[in-house]
Amino acid sequence: MEIIVGMLLISLGLGLGFLFAFIWANRDRQFDDLVSPAMRAILDDSKYVKKAEGEEYAE
Amino acid sequence: MTGLVCPVQTNIHMDISAVSVRHSARLCSHCENQSPLFGQWIFDNNGQVFCCEGCRTVYTAINGCGLNDYYRIRSQQSAQLSPALMHEKNYHYLDSESVIKEFLVDEDSMYFYVSGLQCAACVWILEKIPELEPDIANVRIDGFRKLALVKITPKGHWSKFAAAAQKFGYAVRPIRADDNQSHLRNQEKRDELKKIAITAVGAGNLMLLSFSVYLGADPAFAKLFNWFSVALMVPVLFYGARSIFLNSWSSLRARVPSLDLPLAIAIAAGTILSVFNLLVGKDQIYFDSVSILILLINSSRYFVARLQEKFLAHESEGSSLLPSFARKLSGAEEVFVSAKSLQAEDIFQVLNDEVMPADGVVESGRGWVNQVVLTGEPLPKVVTVGSEVFAGTKLEGGEIVVRTHRSGRETKVGRLQSEAVRASLLKSHVAKALDKWAQKFTYVILALGAIVILVSIPYDFGAGFERALSLFIVACPCAIAFGAPLVYSQALSRATELGIFVKSADVWERIREIKNVFFDKTGTLTRGELHMVKECSTLTPSDVRALVAIESRSSHPAARAIVKHFSDRIGAPLEVGHFKSTPGVGVEGEVQGRHYKIQAAQVKESDGQLVISVEIFRDGFSIGTLEMQDELRPESGHVVSRMNERGMNSYILSGDRADNVEYVGQRLGFLKSQLFSNLRPEEKEKILSSFEKSMMIGDGINDSIAMARAHLSVIVGGSMERALNVADVFLTRDGLGSINKLWMYSNSAEKSLRMIRNFSIGYNTLTAGLSVAGLISPVLAAILMPASSVAVLTLSYIGMRSVWKS
């Protein structure tokens, strides 16, 4: 029986932990814009070479 | 790409595409448009082709900054760009202290509304600006609201951001943080999410606790778990279910039972009974079911609200018709001020292609003013000293100096807009049929529950209370509460896919009640742009090329019509020398050593229809005339006859002259009594409001008051940001033709709703009977409730099948 109490406490702790993480993220406005973060995720910067000293940009 | 919508393709653009697909398979290197916009492809030295000068400039700028990846990213997106027409704008006003003061949100931050923002590539390139522009510290794009939050370096200039964005083909305007409605909406959204999160954590743990009890925990542990559940119930009940209780309370005070009322009673009763049972030592504890019920209600409401917001997101920002700034002249000096801060008697200057910041009288100068936003008249009018000009209208040629009469909200266009807002607030809310039905059902359930309890008092109060509780939970018509939004949002999303934007779900109900349909003429039944009707045979091919070369530098509607008409007959672009545009007279220039002058000859009538003709002079001799007129949209006839088939009366309400209106009316089969011409916006409203259940179909501001008064309003073409502020429905891609879809979707929605209603009447009556008979325990009721929601969901998909297939 004690093991169930332990598990319940763990589950409550996990729940509260994630709840606070969520509230924090939410207050930080992470969920205001659900459109552009999804866009940023697919952009990789590896190919971007800032054109310096007038050299041609090579594809 | 859900939140962002592809740009509206203008008719001019589509028509040309249709022509040139036959001729070539070229694509503009920047916007991938299939045809040149002004008749001729523009080539650069690296073998790239462009549809217009704007696209070439943007392409060169993007490549010059080494941001070539923009095109690679864009190719992975489904977005389609519109040609980057050159809107050479001067952003120096952003460096003026008085302007900056009004827009700053922080010491170094400002919000800009970005038009033309569409896909990941746009986000990517705009957020690269800080790397290229030392004045800009940071740019953060909010793709949903199309805003850029820009931070500058301590000594930086705001105009640098605007100029950089313009270089890449985006027009930006600063917006004030305080008149920014979506800040408030975001706060609400965050509160809703917090509510759901707290309810979810509570409900999840309550389930675990009650499982342990059901699965046979020791009595001592069971008691502990149950008390622990009570503690968990506290936030769920007082935070998660708070709005349900508050809504029910206010509906009780207003004596109109809301759908929340039986839910609130079930929640309260379930909690009280559970606590009571816990105190007297009985096993029936319902905390888990109650908390799951609250979680289901909260999350379904959140999703429905987000769906609605998706359609409203484009409405609020950047929709003002007034420009952001004015060139105020104090003494000999020109200072930039925001348009709203102009006072009466202030003098300001307006340059070519700029929008009037205020109403006033021309002090000096001469120009063409396009007043289409106010009057619907597509041709620019000549203004000279003493002419009255209005805010929101656009100077298309010339330069004028104006003395302010009225500014801001006091301007004609400002009053039109605020009048439109006020009138739309007055619009009566249509009581939804299902809500009414649900209300009646609520009364019945409440009464039935009360009877069950009363009858049970002499026998077994506890059992009676339990039966009433199951009744409240299982017979709650909340499945219908999500049923209607589900069906309507399906109709909404399908319509959006087809380029029909519908502002609110009750449009689907209102459209079936329409009896009278009012059409605006210019830009609605007609294209709202000039079209060549008579060409002269005396022009040689080289004349045509010269003509197009000269006219493509003018923005006058007649010039656009000429360029469009000849677009498929010309080769490489020609250089134009000594180009000159004289408002009210015409344009001239030198091409291949010959001097051409194109002069507005006259406005005459043929068959009662207004025809604009221009005369062409080569080296001083007239070589021919061209005639143009505003053409009917091809689909207008079909749309009008479908309306008549549906048994509706159609009318034309126009600000245009009687003969023009009659000409169009005759061709579409209107009777003379169905035509109203020469109307001011206020008069349109007056006529419309003398009819019942009327629908206004128009193109914008000059019928906005009438639209607000109408039972349903539809805008065809133009800018979406403005359209959805004024109207209920905005038709983009297929123009007027797609309006018939509205009726089709509305009928399907009604059919599905009838199915859902019949199902839930049957289901709720059955389960209510079973609960009263004591055959459904509260726990079983809580299980059956989501089951009925699933059934409603399935039914709504079945009912809307035909809509998805259309």
Side-chain angles (χ1 to χ4, degrees), chain B residues 764-793:
Chain B
N764 280 313
T765 317
L766 182 72
T767 49
L770 291 177
S771 327
V772 172
L775 294 172
I776 295 183
S777 67
V779 178
L780 187 57
I783 294 170
L784 282 175
M785 201 201 68
S788 78
S789 306
V790 173
V792 165
L793 198 93

Side-chain angles (χ1 to χ4, degrees), chain B residues 352-354 367-370 378 380 394-398 555-557 560:
Chain B
N352 188 14
D353 261 347
E354 286 183 353
W368 274 315
V369 173
N370 189 330
K394 192 175 169 203
L395 195 66
E396 292 189 342
S555 58
H556 189 281
R560 284 201 291 254

Side-chain angles (χ1 to χ4, degrees), chain B residues 243-459:
Chain B
S243 62
I244 299 173
F245 288 123
L246 288 179
N247 285 343
S248 319
W249 178 237
S250 59
S251 85
L252 270 183
R253 282 173 46 158
R255 287 163 209 273
V256 188
S258 71
L259 280 181
D260 281 355
L261 189 59
L263 292 176
I265 292 177
I267 291 168
T271 314
I272 293 166
L273 182 70
S274 306
V275 174
F276 175 78
N277 282 348
L278 188 56
L279 286 173
V280 299
K282 280 196 191 167
D283 302 335
Q284 286 84 3
I285 311 284
Y286 310 113
F287 293 134
D288 51 339
S289 338
V290 170
S291 61
I292 289 287
L293 181 72
I294 298 170
L295 179 64
L296 278 176
I297 297 166
N298 283 344
S299 9
S300 68
R301 284 182 184 169
Y302 179 80
F303 286 116
V304 169
R306 290 294 76 73
L307 260 175
Q308 283 169 347
E309 191 195 42
K310 202 170 124 184
F311 300 102
L312 288 174
H314 310 282
E315 155 213 16
S316 58
E317 263 100 17
S319 61
S320 170
L321 289 167
L322 296 179
S324 348
F325 73 98
R327 301 164 182 280
K328 185 173 152 191
L329 298 177
S330 49
E333 213 188 339
E334 181 186 286
V335 275
F336 289 108
V337 296
S338 77
K340 282 177 190 160
S341 68
L342 278 177
Q343 303 284 322
E345 300 303 311
D346 278 354
I347 309 280
F348 62 88
Q349 191 183 22
V350 184
L351 303 183
N352 188 14
D353 261 347
E354 286 183 353
V355 176
M356 304 288 161
D359 289 0
V361 169
V362 178
E363 284 272 296
S364 67
R366 188 180 158 84
W368 274 315
V369 173
N370 189 330
Q371 297 196 320
V372 71
V373 291
L374 280 177
T375 60
E377 167 69 55
L379 284 180
K381 213 180 76 181
V382 176
V383 294
T384 55
V385 176
S387 312
E388 218 180 336
V389 289
F390 298 101
T393 61
K394 192 175 169 203
L395 195 66
E396 292 189 342
E399 268 184 39
I400 52 173
V401 173
V402 182
R403 181 179 292 273
T404 313
H405 273 184
R406 294 173 296 252
S407 65
R409 281 170 194 276
E410 294 302 305
T411 59
K412 196 170 168 115
V413 72
R415 273 180 301 157
L416 282 181
Q417 278 185 313
S418 51
E419 178 72 11
V421 170
R422 203 168 55 86
S424 64
L425 289 177
L426 288 177
K427 195 180 273 181
S428 70
H429 275 280
V430 185
K432 292 176 187 153
L434 270 177
D435 268 4
K436 268 192 194 155
W437 180 82
Q439 239 174 46
K440 282 183 199 148
F441 198 83
T442 309
Y443 277 127
V444 174
I445 295 298
L446 289 178
L448 203 60
I451 291 169
V452 169
I453 292 176
L454 284 179
V455 170
S456 70
I457 288 175
Y459 309 98

Side-chain angles (χ1 to χ4, degrees), chain A residues 1 5 8 11-12 19 22 26 29 32-33 35-36 39-40 42-43 45 47-48 50-51 57, chain B residues 4 67-69 72-73 77 123-124 127-128 131 140-143 189-190 205 208 221 228:
Chain A
M1 206 77 257
V5 177
L8 287 173
S11 97
L12 187 68
L19 178 65
F22 179 82
N26 192 34
R29 311 191 167 191
D32 279 13
D33 175 15
V35 177
S36 24
M39 290 175 174
R40 286 190 194 101
I42 60 166
L43 308 174
D45 261 351
K47 278 182 74 187
Y48 170 61
K50 196 167 175 181
K51 190 179 158 188
Y57 176 82
Chain B
L4 303 174
L67 295 173
N68 222 344
D69 264 1
R72 187 181 56 82
I73 295 165
Q77 309 277 312
V123 173
W124 181 79
E127 292 190 347
K128 283 274 181 262
E131 292 176 35
R140 198 73 182 159
I141 300 293
D142 179 338
K189 202 158 89 177
R190 285 194 288 271
N205 282 293
L208 286 179
F221 276 112
F228 197 54

